[in-house]
């Protein structure tokens, strides 16, 4: 069986869980590229190449794991985010496309700013903190970034990604701590976070792939609001006067979070929609006037 034939064959198998041939086709390509260490261009140019028995065994073992709903990103230990390849394993949440829009919001806010500090709360794989640092370095901006992560396993992943993508893990201040109990030694100009916000009450309704992702990185109480309720209550511990925050939230949590903000005298917080027109981000551009 050659590469072209196998992509079609394995894509049909993967339809069992994806229910989408296009998605399954891309996954089949990704698996084969991973096993052969091929680029997309080489995969296409060598479409008639036959597999060795060893390659077939490895490819099919990955296909079987994927059919068992194990996320492909964990199997190949890689997920692209904002054009950068991040190492991921089951210690961290798999970066999502919506979070790239969170990056864009921060970039837009900092367009005319320099010499500022940013804190990424619940950093996970470090995708937000590292991507921002990489982009600011490319713009020759001097922006200090801190990443705070409670999980020791995730802390190791952040360090790995910082070295792999930035070539120096010291370019970001990485702290292994519970953000709700931690007191930073300085306040920040910007807080950004994709903290856990999935409601526990929805757990049995979600796709099986999520069962492989770290529980505490996904769920935050019955309504999914526990973390943000607690963090907004102590945000002055982290954020400077006139500071800004950018939080990713659940599509149906905007109204409840605005109410929480009002109760804490954070009066000019607003909810922004993602590209799918769903409420996705809670932001405040000036905490002092909130």
């Amino acid at each position: 069986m050659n590469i072209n034939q196998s992509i079609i064959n394995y894509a049909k198998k993967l339809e069992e869980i994806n229910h989408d041939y296009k998605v399954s086709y891309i996954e089949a390509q990704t698996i084969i590229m991973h096993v052969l260490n091929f680029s997309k261009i080489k995969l296409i140019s060598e479409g008639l190449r036959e597999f060795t028995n060893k390659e077939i065994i490895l490819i099919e073992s990955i296909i079987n794991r994927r059919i068992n709903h194990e996320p492909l990103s964990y199997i190949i230990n890689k997920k692209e985010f904002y054009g950068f390849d991040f190492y991921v394993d089951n210690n961290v949440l798999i970066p999502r496309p919506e979070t790239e829009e969170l990056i864009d919001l921060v970039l837009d806010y900092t367009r005319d700013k320099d010499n500022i500090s940013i804190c990424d709360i619940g950093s996970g794989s470090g995708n937000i903190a590292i991507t921002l640092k990489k982009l600011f370095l490319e713009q020759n901006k001097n922006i200090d970034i801190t990443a705070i992560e409670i999980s020791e396993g995730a802390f190791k992943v952040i360090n790995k990604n910082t070295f792999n993508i930035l070539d120096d893990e010291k370019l970001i201040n990485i702290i292994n701590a519970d953000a709700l109990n931690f007191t930073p030694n300085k306040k920040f100009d910007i807080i950004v976070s994709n903290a856990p916000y999935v409601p526990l009450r929805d757990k049995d309704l979600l796709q099986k792939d999520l069962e492989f992702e770290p529980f505490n990185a996904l769920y935050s109480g019955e309504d999914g609001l526990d973390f943000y309720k607690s963090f907004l209550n102590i945000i002055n511990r982290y954020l400077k006067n006139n500071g800004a925050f950018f939080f990713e939230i659940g599509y149906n949590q905007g109204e409840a979070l605005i109410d929480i903000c009002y109760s804490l005298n954070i009066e000019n917080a607003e909810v922004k929609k993602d590209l799918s027109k769903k409420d996705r981000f809670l932001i405040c551009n000036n905490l002092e006037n909130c």
Side-chain angles (χ1 to χ4, degrees):
M1 182 167 57
N2 64 37
I3 289 175
N4 289 339
Q5 293 168 331
S6 67
I7 292 173
I8 295 170
N9 181 51
Y10 292 131
K12 289 177 180 177
K13 287 186 177 182
L14 291 169
E15 271 194 288
E16 293 178 27
I17 58 164
N18 292 322
H19 309 295
D20 184 319
Y21 182 76
K22 184 177 179 180
V23 171
S24 300
Y25 189 90
I26 292 170
E27 285 195 354
Q29 286 182 314
T30 301
I31 290 167
I32 293 168
M33 286 189 291
H34 172 71
V35 170
L36 300 180
N37 194 27
F38 274 13
S39 66
K40 184 72 168 290
I41 293 173
K42 191 169 184 181
L43 184 78
I44 295 169
S45 66
E46 300 203 17
L48 299 180
R49 176 190 183 281
E50 299 285 333
F51 290 111
T52 65
N53 287 336
K54 185 177 180 180
E55 289 167 346
I56 291 173
I57 291 170
L58 184 52
I59 290 168
E60 294 194 346
S61 70
I62 293 175
I63 294 290
N64 290 334
R65 288 171 67 182
R66 182 68 191 109
I67 289 173
N68 192 42
H69 295 280
E70 186 174 354
L72 183 56
S73 296
Y74 288 158
I75 298 173
I76 67 173
N77 295 124
K78 184 170 71 174
K79 177 65 177 177
E80 182 182 329
F81 179 82
Y82 218 93
F84 306 115
D85 286 336
F86 281 81
Y87 172 88
V88 294
D89 59 29
N90 59 8
N91 287 293
V92 299
L93 199 68
I94 298 169
R96 265 66 170 185
E98 294 84 359
T99 309
E100 294 183 345
E101 297 177 52
L102 189 63
I103 297 286
D104 291 334
L105 289 171
V106 176
L107 291 177
D108 186 59
Y109 176 78
T110 57
R111 194 174 305 279
D112 59 351
K113 296 177 174 62
D114 200 354
N115 296 309
I116 60 173
S117 57
I118 298 176
C119 185
D120 175 23
I121 302 292
S123 195
S125 64
N127 58 304
I128 294 174
I130 293 167
T131 298
L132 286 172
K133 187 65 177 182
K134 182 76 171 178
L135 296 173
F136 288 135
L137 286 171
E138 291 174 355
Q139 297 172 17
N140 293 315
K141 284 190 173 185
N142 179 31
I143 294 184
D144 178 70
I145 297 185
T146 295
I148 298 179
E149 171 55 52
I150 189 172
S151 162
E152 290 185 10
F155 175 73
K156 293 176 182 177
V157 171
I158 299 170
N159 277 280
K160 185 181 184 75
N161 282 322
T162 305
F163 181 79
N164 289 345
I165 296 171
L166 299 176
D167 299 320
D168 184 353
E169 64 270 30
K170 295 178 182 178
L171 286 175
I172 290 178
N173 181 27
I174 307 169
I175 299 171
N176 187 195
D178 179 352
L180 296 178
N181 296 319
F182 179 73
T183 300
N185 58 16
K186 65 177 181 180
K187 292 190 177 184
F188 301 91
D189 296 294
I190 297 171
I191 302 295
V192 61
S193 183
N194 178 20
Y197 59 74
V198 179
L200 267 172
R201 63 189 177 211
D202 294 343
K203 185 175 182 295
D204 294 336
L205 306 175
L206 301 176
Q207 61 195 62
K208 292 183 180 180
D209 295 34
L210 291 177
E211 294 177 6
F212 289 84
E213 300 199 49
F215 184 93
N216 291 334
L218 282 171
Y219 301 101
S220 187
E222 282 300 308
D223 59 3
L225 298 173
D226 281 8
F227 180 86
Y228 281 134
K229 285 177 184 175
S230 298
F231 188 76
L232 285 166
N233 199 47
I234 63 164
I235 197 166
N236 286 331
R237 189 190 300 172
Y238 283 86
L239 200 58
K240 294 178 181 178
N241 287 335
N242 302 113
F245 63 71
F246 300 85
F247 298 151
E248 184 170 330
I249 63 173
Y251 73 93
N252 59 354
Q253 296 173 335
E255 186 176 340
L257 283 165
I258 289 294
D259 288 342
I260 292 168
C261 286
Y262 277 138
S263 73
L264 297 170
N265 296 317
I266 303 173
E267 296 176 355
N268 72 342
E270 61 177 313
V271 173
K272 286 191 173 291
K273 296 184 183 297
D274 60 21
L275 293 176
S276 300
K277 307 300 180 184
K278 294 180 180 179
D279 289 350
R280 186 62 63 191
F281 310 105
L282 179 74
I283 72 170
C284 177
N285 290 332
N286 188 327
L287 188 69
E288 185 178 42
N289 294 327
C290 293

